[in-house]
Amino acid sequence: MQKKLLSGLFWILLLNLLIKPFWILGIETGVQNAVGPEEYGFYFTIFNLAYIFNILLDLGVTNFNTRNIAQHPKLIDKHLPGMLGIKIALLGLYLAVTFTVGLLSGYGSRQFHLLAVLSFNQFLNSLILYLRSNFEGLMLFKWDSVISILDRVVMIAICSLLLWGPHGGITVEWFAYAQTIAYLATALTALVVLTLRIRKEHNARFTLRRLQVSLPFSIVILRKSFPFALLVLLMASYNRIDPLLLGWLHPHGTYQAGIYAGAFRLLDALTMVAYLMSAVLLPVFSRMTAEGDSQLGSTTSMVTSLMVVFSFTAAATFSFRSDLFMELFYHSQDAAVVDDYARVFRILVWGIVPIGMTYVYGTLLTAAGRLRQLNTLAATTLVINIVVNFIAIPRHGAVGSAWAAVIAQTFMAAAQIVVAIRLLHLHPAGGYLLRLLLFGGAVVATLLLLPPMSWWALLLSAGAAALAVAFALRLIDIKNIFRIIQNS
């Protein structure tokens, strides 16, 4: 099982690290530079409204399906038609709620038009994630990796023409249309490939004619998936509510939301690694917990070490020189705007450390079926986030919202680690925590001692030093990784 984990991590990280950094840091940054922080703040606020309620398009079906198919692969042919029927039926509920909130928020015609496009995009994205959950549950990680980047490849091609083509010129509406085209192409590709794999490996003749909305089946599945739905809703809320609160609570809310979006984008690119790891971890942890695998503790420690080495090194490096990286990505903006980006990013980037831990231990607890504990923690985290935002936003704007995000994420991660150790009887090796603390101290000391240098030299120097310390402290054990591959 550890070989499956390492293989899955390799493919999904390789393909996504080749494509998605350019999407986030090249295309999305290019769009914000082209339209300006005010206009992008307008888009980002509506996008987050559509995003927060996208749980109504899923209601936990995707995470339930990943865990269920990983434990019972032969159920895929029976479940796929009914699951697709549920997804389509939930679209009506999602649109009703989203447009009602838009109406209550006083949206005008332009805002409703963009909300309609972004809402449809959320449906397509939710459909893609469900289809991918079947690849993940079947441990088809190579196909999952290809599907995970296909939408971004199409969007990069379209947006590159809009940004830099001979007749270039982009608006936030055209940016949304490009996403629609890319999501449609990816969803159709995923459905065709999955259908062919089912026919080949399970000798089943699934066709779209078998698509159905069965009320008894839907009730059973939604009842089982409800705890997953509640968890996703709560986590999406405390992760994405900050721009909405900025728009409501600050006198210059749209501008502050645009600044927060600019700083959040690079954090989003960094957390992509942690998210991709969790997509592989959920089916692997699900099968290990179902089979009572004795290697669960050692596998968790191995993944924790990899996550800490990456996340802490990234957070410290980008925070120490936030001005350098914000100037790199937003050089065409006014100097005062870039300074605002840097002040927010300096704080916000530390969120990658607790987010990384949440993707490890939250995924582990999800795989073990500890949804009640996770939902309690997520609800508490949401309350903490809202309270701190209400206190900090009126006075500090996006900077205060960044502090709220980091504080809430840190609480969530620490609580999950404690619960996982207690409920799953994990026993970290002696001195493990001390080695993590020594690693963090060594990374900070290295950054303090490094002379001024270019951004790429800084990343290479900090990365090389972090890897050397991690190897010396045996946080990353290359011999053990090769032994797992060889023995498997």
Side-chain angles (χ1 to χ4, degrees):
M1 192 55 64
Q2 288 186 338
K3 183 187 177 184
K4 283 277 188 183
L5 172 61
L6 292 174
S7 174
L9 290 176
F10 171 78
W11 284 109
I12 202 163
L13 290 176
L14 174 64
L15 294 181
N16 278 273
L17 289 176
L18 288 175
I19 297 298
K20 288 192 176 178
F22 179 72
W23 161 255
I24 295 174
L25 305 178
I27 300 299
E28 282 194 325
T29 301
V31 171
Q32 180 156 1
N33 282 330
V35 302
E38 189 86 17
E39 186 72 0
Y40 197 86
F42 166 80
Y43 162 85
F44 195 63
T45 300
I46 298 175
F47 171 83
N48 277 280
L49 173 61
Y51 181 88
I52 285 177
F53 290 107
N54 76 356
I55 185 56
L56 298 175
L57 293 165
D58 186 75
L59 292 182
V61 167
T62 295
N63 283 338
F64 166 77
N65 189 67
T66 301
R67 183 171 180 262
N68 193 46
I69 297 301
Q71 295 176 346
H72 312 288
K74 293 183 179 180
L75 289 178
I76 186 170
D77 178 53
K78 295 180 179 179
H79 281 197
L80 183 59
M83 292 287 201
L84 290 175
I86 292 174
K87 299 290 288 185
I88 294 173
L90 290 174
L91 175 60
L93 173 63
Y94 168 75
L95 291 176
V97 172
T98 304
F99 275 74
T100 298
V101 175
L103 186 64
L104 294 174
S105 300
Y107 280 3
S109 59
R110 186 188 178 208
Q111 291 160 312
F112 269 117
H113 174 75
L114 185 58
L115 180 61
V117 177
L118 293 176
S119 296
F120 183 60
N121 290 351
Q122 287 297 317
F123 166 71
L124 293 174
N125 186 49
S126 177
L127 179 61
I128 293 167
L129 290 175
Y130 164 70
L131 294 172
R132 285 183 54 198
S133 74
N134 291 283
F135 291 110
E136 294 161 3
L138 295 172
M139 306 292 174
L140 299 173
F141 293 125
K142 291 182 182 178
W143 273 113
D144 179 49
S145 302
V146 172
I147 298 300
S148 73
I149 65 166
L150 184 57
D151 59 330
R152 293 298 185 262
V153 171
V154 177
M155 278 189 266
I156 286 172
I158 297 173
C159 292
S160 294
L161 290 174
L162 292 173
L163 283 169
W164 306 301
H167 304 289
I170 192 168
T171 64
V172 292
E173 284 82 4
W174 277 106
F175 185 49
Y177 300 151
Q179 295 172 34
T180 305
I181 296 170
Y183 285 144
L184 273 173
T186 303
L188 291 173
T189 301
L191 185 60
V192 170
V193 173
L194 183 60
T195 300
L196 294 176
R197 296 296 300 192
I198 292 174
R199 289 181 181 180
K200 178 181 178 181
E201 298 190 9
H202 297 273
N203 195 29
R205 289 289 175 181
F206 170 76
T207 66
L208 287 179
R209 287 193 298 271
R210 291 178 55 196
L211 189 66
Q212 57 182 311
V213 179
S214 169
L215 185 60
F217 176 82
S218 300
I219 292 174
V220 170
I221 294 298
L222 292 176
R223 184 184 296 125
K224 290 182 178 180
S225 64
F226 176 76
F228 296 91
L230 182 59
L231 178 62
V232 173
L233 175 61
L234 292 170
M235 295 184 70
S237 296
Y238 73 69
N239 277 317
R240 295 285 182 168
I241 201 171
D242 304 271
L244 292 175
L245 293 176
L246 280 166
W248 295 337
L249 299 175
H250 198 275
H252 305 290
T254 304
Y255 174 80
Q256 291 294 323
I259 294 299
Y260 188 92
F264 181 83
R265 179 170 298 108
L266 186 51
L267 173 66
D268 198 29
L270 295 171
T271 55
M272 175 189 69
V273 175
Y275 167 75
L276 293 172
M277 288 180 68
S278 74
V280 178
L281 288 176
L282 182 55
V284 171
F285 279 158
S286 295
R287 192 163 293 184
M288 293 182 80
T289 54
E291 297 173 353
D293 198 317
S294 61
Q295 293 184 320
L296 180 62
S298 61
T299 301
T300 303
S301 295
M302 178 180 69
V303 176
T304 299
S305 297
L306 292 172
M307 191 69 78
V308 168
V309 170
F310 164 74
S311 63
F312 189 87
T313 304
T317 304
F318 283 96
S319 180
F320 270 57
R321 292 305 313 273
S322 61
D323 55 337
L324 178 66
F325 292 101
M326 290 298 100
E327 289 172 5
L328 175 66
F329 297 122
Y330 301 110
H331 54 83
S332 63
Q333 298 282 349
D334 183 83
V337 175
V338 176
D339 288 341
D340 287 341
Y341 286 140
R343 278 194 293 271
V344 175
F345 183 65
R346 185 176 297 117
I347 301 164
L348 193 61
V349 72
W350 283 103
I352 189 177
V353 179
I355 288 172
M357 291 300 96
T358 293
Y359 276 128
V360 175
Y361 288 91
T363 303
L364 176 59
L365 290 169
T366 300
R370 304 290 184 168
L371 277 300
R372 181 175 61 84
Q373 291 84 356
L374 279 173
N375 280 316
T376 301
L377 294 178
T380 306
T381 303
L382 176 59
V383 172
I384 292 172
N385 182 284
I386 292 175
V387 170
V388 178
N389 266 310
F390 264 85
I391 295 171
I393 285 178
R395 185 172 180 179
H396 302 288
V399 172
S401 200
W403 276 114
V406 173
I407 290 170
Q409 292 285 2
T410 301
F411 166 81
M412 183 65 168
Q416 284 180 339
I417 292 172
V418 171
V419 171
I421 291 175
R422 181 171 62 86
L423 295 182
L424 302 180
H425 309 291
L426 302 178
H427 302 289
Y432 183 68
L433 180 58
L434 177 60
R435 284 185 287 151
L436 291 178
L437 293 174
L438 289 173
F439 170 79
V443 170
V444 171
T446 300
L447 290 169
L448 290 173
L449 294 173
L450 285 175
M453 58 183 66
S454 62
W455 66 269
W456 60 267
L458 176 62
L459 291 179
L460 288 176
S461 300
L467 286 175
V469 174
F471 290 145
L473 294 174
R474 298 196 67 182
L475 290 175
I476 300 178
D477 192 339
I478 292 295
K479 290 183 179 180
N480 182 49
I481 292 175
F482 278 117
R483 177 185 60 77
I484 292 169
I485 297 173
Q486 185 177 15
N487 290 347
S488 300

